[in-house]
Amino acid sequence: MDIPSYKIALIVGAGEGLSASLARLFAREKIQVALAARKIEKLGALCHETGARAYACNAAEADDVERLFGLVEREIGAPDLVVYNASARARGTFVDLVPADVAQSIMISAFGGFLVAQQAAKRMLPNRHGAILFTGASASVKGYAQSAPFAMGKFGLRGLAQSLARELSPQGIHVAHFVIDGGIRSAARTEASDRPDSMLDPDAIALSYWNVLRQPRSAWTWEMELRPWVEKF
């Protein structure tokens, strides 16, 4: 049974929470890590802890994304594991939404995923090896009131992932989309004492990503749903 192995990971949309948990997990598994975010000042402690390098990038800008991959390739190597974790929201009553805010939300949540995946695939296809993972949300499959822009972006990202899984999997690239259905626990956001484990632990989410990455190609999944045991769905 051939278990895939990875050498260089790039996490786009990095910050605290899930991205940090993934960076720590990858570093423990001896994978070199690159982190990309619009503001990299917040990534100093995580880089020190994991040995990762941070790169400034607006994932919704094609030139920025192309430059990001070029820098990572020159300074570390071509990433064979890419995680797209960026997203943006524009909340409000539908008739009051600002079109420019809606466009920006869709650009970051969906179009950025396309830009990053395209650069990743160009580097993975010659070796017929690699993995591209997309972080989705409840809004990937359910459109909530006063949250149309986020649903539009996340539905789009899920469609991209499904299309890429069908196109790239036969060429050796594992594409997977994760529906994170529930709130993610953080230092600033914890569950009530009478509802233990009612929020998603970012380390537990990261472990599920890792389990998917370790799947032999004879039994790949393209999508996984994750939610706390008490979450309604």
Side-chain angles (χ1 to χ4, degrees), residues 29-47:
E29 295 295 335
K30 310 303 181 186
I31 297 172
Q32 291 182 277
V33 179
L35 304 172
R38 279 175 290 179
K39 297 180 180 180
I40 62 174
E41 296 81 7
K42 60 185 178 181
L43 300 176
L46 183 60
C47 287

Side-chain angles (χ1 to χ4, degrees), residues 12-75:
V12 179
E16 292 301 318
L18 175 56
S19 294
S21 292
L22 287 169
R24 295 184 186 104
L25 188 156
F26 294 158
R28 288 196 302 271
E29 295 295 335
K30 310 303 181 186
I31 297 172
Q32 291 182 277
V33 179
L35 304 172
R38 279 175 290 179
K39 297 180 180 180
I40 62 174
E41 296 81 7
K42 60 185 178 181
L43 300 176
L46 183 60
C47 287
H48 179 74
E49 179 184 353
T50 62
R53 294 193 189 188
Y55 299 85
C57 177
N58 181 344
E61 295 290 340
D63 289 345
D64 261 25
V65 174
E66 185 174 5
R67 188 181 308 115
L68 166 67
F69 274 81
L71 283 171
V72 173
E73 191 168 21
R74 286 194 297 273
E75 297 181 1

